[in-house]
Amino acid sequence: MADPELVDVVVVGLGVGGEEVAGRLAEAGLSVVGVERDLVGGECPYWGCVPSKMMIRAANAIAEARRVDGLAGTAEVRPDWAPVAKRIREEATDTWDDTVAVQRFTGKGGRFVRGTARLDGPGRVRVGERVFQARHGIVLGTGTRPSVPPVDGLADTPYWTNRQAIEVEELPESLLVLGGGAIGLELAQVFARFGVRVTVVEALDRVLAVEEPEASEVAAAALRADGVEIHTGVRAERVSHDGRGFTLHAAGGARFTAERLLVVTGRRAHLDELGLDTVGVDAGRRYLAVDDRLHVTEGIWAVGDVTGEGAFTHVAMYQAGIVVADLLDHARRAAGGPDPSGTASATGGASGTTGVRGSTGAVPRADYRALPRVTFTDPEVGAVGLTESQARERGVNVQVGLARLPSSARGWIHKAGNEGFVKLVADADQGVLIGATSVGPAGGEVLSGLAVAVHAAVPLARLRQMIYAYPTFHRTIEDALRNMS
Ligand SMILES: Cc1cc2nc3c(=O)[nH]c(=O)nc-3n(C[C@H](O)[C@H](O)[C@H](O)COP(=O)(O)OP(=O)(O)OC[C@H]3O[C@@H](n4cnc5c(N)ncnc54)[C@H](O)[C@@H]3O)c2cc1C
């Protein structure tokens, strides 16, 4: 076996989070090895956010064109999947080739290694026969993979995950979507708008179950208006495939059939593959437990979906900023530089004398109180912080305000496609918002003001005194404040 190669940092998994950490540490002057077994950039650019939002953009253009009738004359729409598939292939993913992404990383000074990495004792990472010894730390950004439920027969069928749904060149005639969460609803609506007969089957009693019940209702109604069949409270018991199509047998005897089956029932981190036992970390958990600086254990940090703090690209990027600051802090201290956190005595040496570049500001702590999330259905479902029921479960003295978009000036003007609402959840004792939901044609954008209010704990009294531009969708926030009780 070869001797370990000594480097400053090893980053395992170059998805959104890992690539950001590895690139920024390399730019700061550290020697960084980044290991990726699949494509640099991870799920988001190749099979997630970016291509799915391109699909949604196209599907929404179809829906808008269909709204011309009654508003602006008539429009004939003939959906065609070919330009969508081409755009995903050529503009989003380079036909699922990461050459540019690898160059982006090596151009910052990082060293790229293609392969599957495992921890191999404290400070060590093994990739095949190669072993790297990390002087300052190891960062695990290994993400998640689709979690497929243990339904009888399912594993033996050619079901789709998000990957096949994103890569599809020719649409099926019909599609069964198992799972009514954000990804399931986004893809169901896209395919329905392109003429696919879509059926969504969800085990819980409502779709988008993690969000406010009012949001579930609006989203379900919108999908049904697009022709999607939605069945909630249905537990899949058995799946079969006869060479031409799928049959899903549900508890109670119901049967659903379709040419294709898309399984989007959540995602899972595969901790058992990471060699965590060699560093004394429990691999039996669902996610890697981290503290507010994303530490897993001595010398190991984690970033992104694998931490279970929110499976979003913006969470991975946010965490990456903290990991970078903390690792640079460690590196500087190890080199005898100043202590930017102020928690240890400075031993002399100005920034720059250590060879490590970058900010010497205090290392921020992760705070997920104002975590925003958007489901990009039409209407969009934006949410931040706690839902009403989450707040009540925590014993908060809750105040709620809700205002519907169609009754607002802008909603009334907008007419076709104006479904939505703003719902506010406040801590009445503190007089601040602790959660909010904004559903509507620009629900994700209206969310930004609400996220600022939750993040900065802006007093309700100040929000009520603000001037809201007329006639915007976000003016509904003022209506919801007025309706609070
Ligand atoms: C269909 C879909 C739509 C989405 N839409 C959105 C959206 O609109 N907005 C949003 O914020 N989020 C969205 N997401 C979620 C987003 O894609 C993830 O939150 C994000 O990709 C997480 O980044 P990550 O770096 O944690 O993990 P990943 O992107 O999963 O990257 C992890 C990487 O680690 C590699 N890896 C794993 N184990 C090893 C190993 N042992 N050795 C070497 N490499 C390894 C993997 O190959 C992978 O490339 C969507 C996801 C899906 C599936």
Side-chain angles (χ1 to χ4, degrees):
M1 191 214 308
D3 286 340
E5 294 176 52
L6 189 62
V7 297
D8 285 334
V9 177
V10 181
V11 180
V12 178
L14 297 182
V16 179
E19 188 192 349
E20 178 74 6
V21 169
R24 284 175 58 183
L25 290 177
E27 279 179 322
L30 297 184
S31 66
V32 180
V33 166
V35 191
E36 170 57 53
R37 70 168 162 217
D38 202 344
L39 296 179
V40 172
E43 206 69 11
C44 181
Y46 297 102
W47 298 284
C49 336
V50 178
S52 70
K53 265 77 253 178
M54 281 184 177
M55 290 160 72
I56 288 167
R57 166 77 180 116
N60 287 359
I62 292 174
E64 270 303 274
R66 287 177 178 148
R67 289 172 185 142
V68 165
D69 281 18
L71 277 180
T74 55
E76 197 192 332
V77 189
R78 268 173 285 123
D80 179 7
W81 188 252
V84 186
K86 182 170 188 282
R87 192 165 180 224
I88 290 173
R89 214 186 317 111
E90 294 180 1
E91 293 176 35
T93 67
D94 269 351
T95 318
W96 292 274
D97 180 314
D98 67 351
T99 306
V100 172
V102 171
Q103 284 166 357
R104 187 168 62 214
F105 173 52
T106 54
K108 291 174 181 169
R111 231 171 99 199
F112 178 60
V113 175
R114 181 93 61 192
T116 299
R118 270 181 81 83
L119 297 168
D120 194 34
R124 277 198 312 278
V125 172
R126 170 183 291 277
V127 189
E129 290 300 302
R130 299 170 75 176
V131 178
F132 298 95
Q133 178 76 43
R135 197 181 284 117
H136 297 310
I138 295 167
V139 182
L140 301 173
T142 47
T144 55
R145 297 206 294 272
S147 149
V148 177
V151 175
D152 230 22
L154 178 59
D156 303 324
T157 67
Y159 65 85
W160 281 359
T161 65
N162 62 298
R163 292 202 168 191
Q164 291 75 32
I166 295 286
E167 290 178 12
V168 66
E169 289 279 340
E170 279 189 27
L171 296 184
E173 178 270 320
S174 55
L175 176 72
L176 204 49
V177 179
L178 187 58
I183 295 173
L185 293 196
E186 288 181 1
L187 295 175
Q189 190 175 44
V190 164
F191 289 128
R193 288 180 164 182
F194 275 88
V196 178
R197 185 170 55 78
V198 181
T199 307
V200 174
V201 173
E202 165 60 53
L204 299 175
D205 63 358
R206 59 186 174 98
V207 293
L208 227 49
V210 293
E211 300 300 354
E212 296 283 9
E214 296 90 342
S216 305
E217 275 168 33
V218 174
L223 264 75
R224 286 190 170 117
D226 279 315
V228 178
E229 249 188 60
I230 298 180
H231 299 270
T232 53
V234 175
R235 198 159 46 78
E237 279 199 328
R238 190 159 59 81
V239 168
S240 57
H241 184 257
D242 65 4
R244 280 172 303 133
F246 291 81
T247 303
L248 186 150
H249 305 261
R255 284 176 50 196
F256 304 92
T257 57
E259 186 184 335
R260 289 284 172 195
L261 170 66
L262 169 61
V263 179
V264 272
T265 45
R267 301 182 64 86
R268 191 165 83 77
H270 290 257
L271 302 186
D272 49 330
E273 301 171 354
L274 298 179
L276 290 166
D277 52 314
T278 69
V279 291
V281 172
D282 179 11
R285 303 174 67 125
R286 207 159 164 223
Y287 296 106
L288 270 179
V290 287
D291 68 11
D292 58 5
R293 288 189 184 186
L294 287 316
H295 276 168
V296 178
T297 187
E298 182 65 29
I300 301 183
W301 284 255
V303 68
D305 284 8
V306 73
T307 66
E309 299 287 1
F312 301 102
T313 286
H314 45 271
V315 170
M317 299 290 280
Y318 169 74
Q319 293 176 328
I322 296 170
V323 172
V324 167
D326 204 27
L327 254 159
L328 289 179
D329 181 21
H330 268 68
R332 264 189 213 97
R333 284 203 238 185
D339 167 30
S341 69
T343 54
S345 63
T347 51
S351 165
T353 59
T354 61
V356 179
R357 298 183 294 273
S359 150
T360 53
V363 178
R365 308 276 175 152
D367 172 5
Y368 305 101
R369 270 179 321 112
L371 172 59
R373 45 203 189 269
V374 179
T375 301
F376 292 87
T377 43
D378 171 21
E380 292 176 358
V381 176
V384 60
L386 301 179
T387 60
E388 180 182 352
S389 65
Q390 285 169 339
R392 291 196 191 285
E393 275 161 25
R394 291 180 191 200
V396 176
N397 179 12
V398 172
Q399 250 190 324
V400 172
L402 188 141
R404 299 269 170 195
L405 243 51
S407 358
S408 70
R410 179 57 180 275
W412 179 74
I413 293 165
H414 195 79
K415 204 169 174 173
N418 68 355
E419 299 82 7
F421 62 87
V422 167
K423 179 172 177 178
L424 307 177
V425 179
D427 179 330
D429 297 336
Q430 304 295 323
V432 294
L433 291 184
I434 50 173
T437 299
S438 138
V439 181
E445 306 304 322
V446 169
L447 185 69
S448 71
L450 295 166
V452 171
V454 175
H455 175 71
V458 181
L460 288 170
R462 292 215 71 160
L463 291 176
R464 290 197 173 98
Q465 287 154 7
M466 221 176 97
I467 304 172
Y468 297 82
Y470 178 88
T472 55
F473 287 117
H474 76 250
R475 244 179 101 80
T476 314
I477 296 171
E478 193 180 29
D479 300 338
L481 282 164
R482 207 175 301 117
N483 295 343
M484 279 198 112
S485 56

